[in-house]
Amino acid sequence: MAAQAQNYSIRKMQKNDLEKVTALEAACFSMPWKYKDFEEALINPHRIYLVAETDWQEIIGGCMLTNIAGEGDISNVAVDARFRGRKIATALLQKLFAFGSAEYGICAYTLEVRSKNTAAIRLYENAGFRAEGVRPNFYEKPKDDAIIMWKR
């Protein structure tokens, strides 16, 4: 049964979000980041992690931007399975682009996506990304190639 559609807002992750973000990551990925990884992201001046939070304070999505020499590396794009298909990831990415541009002056973004994750590939293409390369056997659990995508 799908969860009820609720209002949500997007904001920067805070320390009191760490357990919820870690749980979301574990639910979405076969090799999830750990609590300490997100804790370190909070203090890294080159990183922004955004969360989508419902009006009842449930974290239902998140994504990270790392500024690497003026280019934006996007990672950890996750949406709670109960809330997928509602454009939450699209809204997170748009907010991430706005932050990247305003805070770091970024105008080129890159990411890796599993070659078999057609829903994510479609999401990124709709956000303006294009495939520009492949990293063979980049992912484990299960093994998969990574498609390198860029939005320039």
Side-chain angles (χ1 to χ4, degrees):
M1 173 186 276
Q4 286 279 45
Q6 298 291 328
N7 293 330
Y8 67 92
S9 57
I10 296 174
R11 61 172 173 76
K12 288 184 182 180
M13 178 178 64
Q14 301 166 4
K15 187 164 180 60
N16 61 347
D17 298 323
L18 290 172
E19 286 186 27
K20 293 176 184 177
V21 168
T22 304
L24 174 67
E25 178 90 354
C28 292
F29 300 112
S30 62
M31 297 183 70
W33 278 32
K34 305 297 182 213
Y35 182 97
K36 69 174 182 61
D37 300 317
F38 289 107
E39 192 173 40
E40 290 171 5
L42 273 176
I43 59 171
N44 185 330
H46 302 288
R47 285 202 161 141
I48 297 170
Y49 188 91
L50 298 180
V51 295
E53 179 183 50
T54 65
D55 51 5
W56 71 91
Q57 280 108 30
E58 181 178 3
I59 302 291
I60 59 171
C63 61
M64 186 172 337
L65 172 68
T66 304
N67 177 15
I68 302 173
E71 294 179 339
D73 182 62
I74 295 174
S75 59
N76 305 76
V77 179
V79 173
D80 183 310
R82 300 170 298 153
F83 295 90
R84 291 182 186 154
R86 300 182 189 178
K87 307 275 185 207
I88 295 168
T90 299
L92 282 162
L93 288 172
Q94 289 172 347
K95 193 79 153 187
L96 208 61
F97 299 147
F99 272 113
S101 175
E103 294 195 19
Y104 301 125
I106 294 172
C107 46
Y109 297 86
T110 188
L111 55 81
E112 291 97 8
V113 60
R114 285 180 176 272
S115 69
K116 295 178 178 125
N117 191 343
T118 56
I121 292 167
R122 189 170 39 253
L123 163 73
Y124 300 137
E125 287 174 342
N126 288 339
F129 284 86
R130 298 293 168 250
E132 294 193 16
V134 175
R135 286 194 172 99
N137 299 311
F138 183 77
Y139 293 105
E140 297 178 16
K141 296 183 184 180
K143 283 265 187 215
D144 196 3
D145 296 342
I147 297 176
I148 304 164
M149 300 185 85
W150 279 91
K151 174 182 171 77
R152 300 178 199 262

